[in-house]
Amino acid sequence: MEYKVSIALLHTQLASGTLTCVQHVQQYLTNIQANTHLNAFLEVFEAEALERAAYLDELWQQGTHLPLHGVVVGLKDVISYQGHKLSAASKILENFTAVYSATAVERLLQAGAIIIGRQNCDEFAMGGSNENSAFGKVLNALDNNRVPGGSSGGSAVSVQANLCQISLGTDTGGSVRQPADFCGIVGVKPTYGRISRHGLLAYASSFDQIGIFSHTVQDAALVLETIAGADNFDSTALPSAVPPYSQYLHDTQLQAKRFAYFKQSFEHPSLDTHIKQQFEQLFNDLRRQGYTVEAVDFPLLPYVVPTYYVLTTAEASSNLSRYDGVKFGYVHTQAIQSLDEFYKQNRSNGFGKEVKRRIMLGNFVLSAGYFDAYYTKAQQVRQLLHTQTQAIFEQFDAIISPTVPTPAFPFGEKSASPIDMFLADIFTVHANLVGIPGISVPKYTHISGMPFGIQVFTNKEKEAELLATAAFFEQL
Ligand code: GLN
């Protein structure tokens, strides 16, 4: 299990001849074999990964050294990889094969990465515990009775347990940062649009963003600078040039000096006392070192989760309407009398409970009689949040908080109550509502033995500052 190799170390070892790409892949395959009980992978591309590793070894011998040469990457099963299955951990797409690759995947491959498999997650990325997969839950490798977080649980556990070097997940409301926090690894969600969404199965299009899991900030920065940037296939992808983030990590000019935290977050009843104490100590330490750490009033905090769930379910109800058994997806084979019945059976049997709950909720908030009361109101709150967040960034470089109010919880603890599960997203959804980047950096061990980290937000397109600040916390 202890095969923890950074990208820099991999390249040093390839250069010195102490490791080959084939051996590197074999190590991960061995770890995957030994940890099938974690249920992190839905499919492992064993032969293909080894074949590509052999090709990359040859390339290296010939003197071609690519930026992500030999880096072993796993993909959350909502990211398209041409010719490979793409299920969204749903029965409705169980037999679907991707017809093209996501832009992020194309860029990984061009940079010399090896795709090792597709990873389990909550169905259509809806969830925070990975209990909503049609293919079984994923276990946290540190404590198999606890959730790994979600929805990108398989991707987080794969890095946590060294089943691959890097994973790509998606973060619509925290699905990269929250499982990273629960698993004790780095998880970064860039600015909305920083990484193209082309080839990503949509959950809530104005929130969705691909994110990266790694053991170190340095590795996350290297992957981000490779896959980010403009894309003709996604008009929402940001056109601005992508800086070489990995070279700026130790630039003290970029590291945040003025930190804001939300008064309401630290007064929130859901915040675990041990986590709270640890953050109070952190704030004092930072102040002693000369940093500004100030509480700001953030009365909108109680509205972020409801706003998020109104808007994302509305978008999801529209995005998921294509899975009807005609254009895509599972077809119910029993005798059917009418077209209506056909759609109904396909969708009722193809989707899981949580996805159906959200489609119904989304249709409800969009329905004629309730549109203004829910959807329009939520859009107004989103705008207000945006304005207030921008005002904070006029005075501060970064916003800091725990990533989640509690460490990883035991299976079943929140699955009976959707509201409890939704509330666990209280610190993460803000970044998606306003489109700013966020990162979870592993730092502490809770009295329960589980890890928890520090979440940092910076303003839009300030990934260089975000990552430099994260690197500072990593070393603190
Ligand atoms: N837990 C959140 C939800 O269920 C976040 C999901 C995500 O980011 N994909 O919607």
Side-chain angles (χ1 to χ4, degrees):
M1 203 132 128
E2 264 315 304
Y3 182 72
K4 210 191 255 189
V5 179
S6 69
I7 297 173
L9 181 62
L10 166 69
H11 290 172
T12 312
Q13 296 193 334
L14 288 179
S16 66
T18 46
L19 184 70
T20 65
C21 294
V22 168
Q23 289 166 341
H24 188 51
V25 169
Q26 272 163 346
Q27 283 281 358
Y28 290 115
L29 291 173
T30 305
N31 286 354
I32 292 172
Q33 281 282 309
N35 288 284
T36 50
H37 65 287
L38 298 175
N39 203 22
F41 278 91
L42 293 175
E43 188 181 350
V44 181
F45 309 140
E46 189 172 330
E48 194 188 311
L50 285 168
E51 202 179 302
R52 182 159 163 82
Y55 161 75
L56 286 162
D57 278 331
E58 247 171 67
L59 220 58
W60 187 278
Q61 288 307 325
Q62 291 161 9
T64 305
H65 301 170
L66 300 166
L68 298 181
H69 208 113
V71 174
V72 175
V73 182
L75 301 176
K76 180 181 186 178
D77 204 19
V78 292
I79 300 172
S80 308
Y81 182 20
Q82 189 176 33
H84 299 78
K85 279 188 173 175
L86 178 67
S87 77
S90 179
K91 197 172 145 190
I92 214 158
L93 278 182
E94 196 171 354
N95 296 311
F96 180 72
T97 300
V99 286
Y100 56 86
S101 290
T103 298
V105 173
E106 290 284 2
R107 290 182 185 173
L108 283 176
L109 294 172
Q110 274 161 21
I114 301 166
I115 309 293
I116 199 164
R118 48 190 187 94
Q119 294 158 330
N120 204 351
C121 56
D122 282 306
E123 185 177 359
F124 281 98
M126 296 177 186
S129 65
N130 226 128
E131 292 167 292
N132 299 336
S133 166
F135 307 113
K137 60 191 182 189
V138 176
L139 311 186
N140 193 310
L142 267 171
D143 178 347
N144 291 175
N145 296 315
R146 289 179 190 264
V147 303
S151 62
S152 317
S155 305
V157 169
S158 297
V159 170
Q160 178 194 36
N162 299 308
L163 313 183
C164 63
Q165 208 169 359
I166 298 288
S167 295
L168 290 193
T170 61
D171 191 313
T172 304
S175 282
V176 167
R177 290 160 287 149
Q178 185 253 31
D181 186 62
F182 284 5
C183 291
I185 59 173
V186 173
V188 59
K189 178 206 92 79
T191 307
Y192 178 76
R194 186 68 293 191
I195 299 173
S196 165
R197 288 181 296 115
H198 177 64
L200 164 64
L201 288 186
Y203 158 17
S205 312
S206 75
F207 293 74
D208 294 342
Q209 182 56 203
I210 289 176
I212 301 154
F213 293 100
S214 60
H215 281 292
T216 63
V217 175
Q218 169 85 26
D219 280 0
L222 276 166
V223 174
L224 181 60
E225 69 197 32
T226 308
I227 64 176
D231 180 15
N232 288 336
F233 290 115
D234 176 5
S235 60
T236 63
L238 296 166
S240 48
V242 179
Y245 304 119
S246 62
Q247 291 171 32
Y248 296 152
L249 295 182
H250 305 293
D251 185 336
T252 48
Q253 295 283 78
L254 292 175
Q255 289 168 0
K257 312 280 179 308
R258 301 166 304 165
F259 294 96
Y261 68 89
F262 298 145
K263 189 168 103 271
Q264 283 80 356
S265 296
F266 284 83
E267 287 166 356
H268 202 269
S270 68
L271 181 59
D272 174 273
T273 45
H274 183 203
I275 296 182
K276 186 176 172 178
Q277 281 163 6
Q278 197 65 256
F279 270 79
E280 280 162 357
Q281 198 184 319
L282 170 70
F283 294 165
N284 287 333
D285 290 346
L286 287 171
R287 287 185 190 113
R288 254 196 307 276
Q289 291 182 41
Y291 293 89
T292 300
V293 185
E294 273 176 36
V296 298
D297 195 30
F298 189 60
L300 284 178
L301 186 75
Y303 300 99
V304 295
V305 169
T307 304
Y308 169 83
Y309 279 96
V310 168
L311 295 176
T312 54
T313 54
E315 292 187 25
S317 69
S318 159
N319 276 328
L320 272 60
S321 64
R322 72 192 74 176
Y323 307 108
D324 57 7
V326 178
K327 295 191 275 300
F328 293 101
Y330 168 87
V331 181
H332 193 70
T333 47
Q334 264 138 52
I336 279 162
Q337 306 302 328
S338 68
L339 186 60
D340 272 1
E341 181 67 12
F342 176 70
Y343 287 139
K344 207 167 167 178
Q345 289 297 337
N346 293 344
R347 287 169 65 83
S348 300
N349 293 295
F351 287 129
K353 195 170 141 204
E354 182 62 24
V355 174
K356 283 188 274 194
R357 182 185 353 255
R358 294 191 189 199
I359 292 172
M360 287 190 277
L361 197 59
N363 277 305
F364 174 79
V365 300
L366 288 173
S367 59
Y370 296 98
F371 186 85
D372 284 341
Y374 291 97
Y375 187 77
T376 307
K377 187 56 96 188
Q379 289 287 30
Q380 289 165 340
V381 179
R382 191 179 197 181
Q383 185 53 47
L384 211 55
L385 257 171
H386 189 265
T387 313
Q388 292 194 3
T389 308
Q390 287 311 313
I392 294 171
F393 284 126
E394 271 167 28
Q395 289 180 51
F396 297 93
D397 307 318
I399 301 170
I400 177 174
S401 71
T403 310
V404 194
T406 67
F409 44 87
F411 284 104
E413 192 179 276
K414 294 190 200 289
S415 41
S417 157
I419 303 281
D420 282 355
M421 189 73 90
F422 292 175
L423 269 174
D425 301 330
I426 188 160
F427 298 152
T428 49
V429 294
H430 180 178
N432 308 76
L433 279 159
V434 300
I436 56 175
I439 191 165
S440 182
V441 192
K443 195 77 229 168
Y444 304 109
T445 304
H446 189 259
I447 30 175
S448 63
M450 299 311 287
F452 65 96
I454 302 172
Q455 178 176 243
V456 185
F457 293 164
T458 52
N459 208 349
K460 286 184 189 170
E461 299 202 54
K462 299 247 183 242
E463 277 83 2
E465 289 79 354
L466 182 83
L467 293 161
T469 307
F472 161 76
F473 281 126
E474 192 175 42
Q475 280 169 14
L476 196 69

